[in-house]
Amino acid sequence: MKIFALLTLFAPLAAAFAPTPTFSRSTSLRSSMELYSAAIQFIKGLDEKVVPDIKLTRARDGSSGTATFTFMNPNVFDASTTSQGDVTGMFMVDDEGEMSTMEVNANFVQGKPQSIESVVVMKSAAEWDRFMRFMERYGEANGLVFTKA
């Protein structure tokens, strides 16, 4: 996808700009995991079907960064998934392995779960690069496009 090719070109330059880039969902539907090799899971082994909004920040010197994921009405809240286990974190799984964060918060409205927000902190340029490789795979699998804010 040409947009993600541009993403890899712009990723090193992101440290020089203050605006927060975001990922948003395009009109294409999610393809099966057999075609792509990246998924997000809140319960290990159960792929999250809802595609999140993702906001990225990065230090000007590239030494650290954060990614904030917001999932509106994720399928992990469905009654059918409660028997599969508890939410223990957010797991980003791809061909290279697994990255995870335990910084996961659910938002409730009138006692009902509405969204999940999770934050991934990258403490080095190597962690940022690994995250961007995951995002490229995840974006291809879910029709995400990169836009500068």
Side-chain angles (χ1 to χ4, degrees), residues 57-67 92 99-103 119-132:
T57 61
R58 191 171 188 192
R60 291 185 188 273
D61 65 0
S63 62
S64 63
T66 63
M92 297 165 282
M99 297 178 293
S100 64
T101 181
M102 300 305 139
E103 195 170 331
V119 178
V120 177
V121 177
M122 294 150 283
K123 298 177 182 173
S124 69
E127 287 181 9
W128 177 270
D129 291 342
R130 170 66 178 100
F131 175 80
M132 293 306 286

Side-chain angles (χ1 to χ4, degrees), residues 4 21-27 51-55 135 139 142-147:
F4 279 96
T22 61
F23 286 91
S24 60
R25 187 173 185 164
S26 74
T27 57
V51 178
D53 285 328
I54 306 162
K55 295 182 180 177
M135 283 308 304
N142 293 285
L144 293 176
V145 294
F146 180 73
T147 54

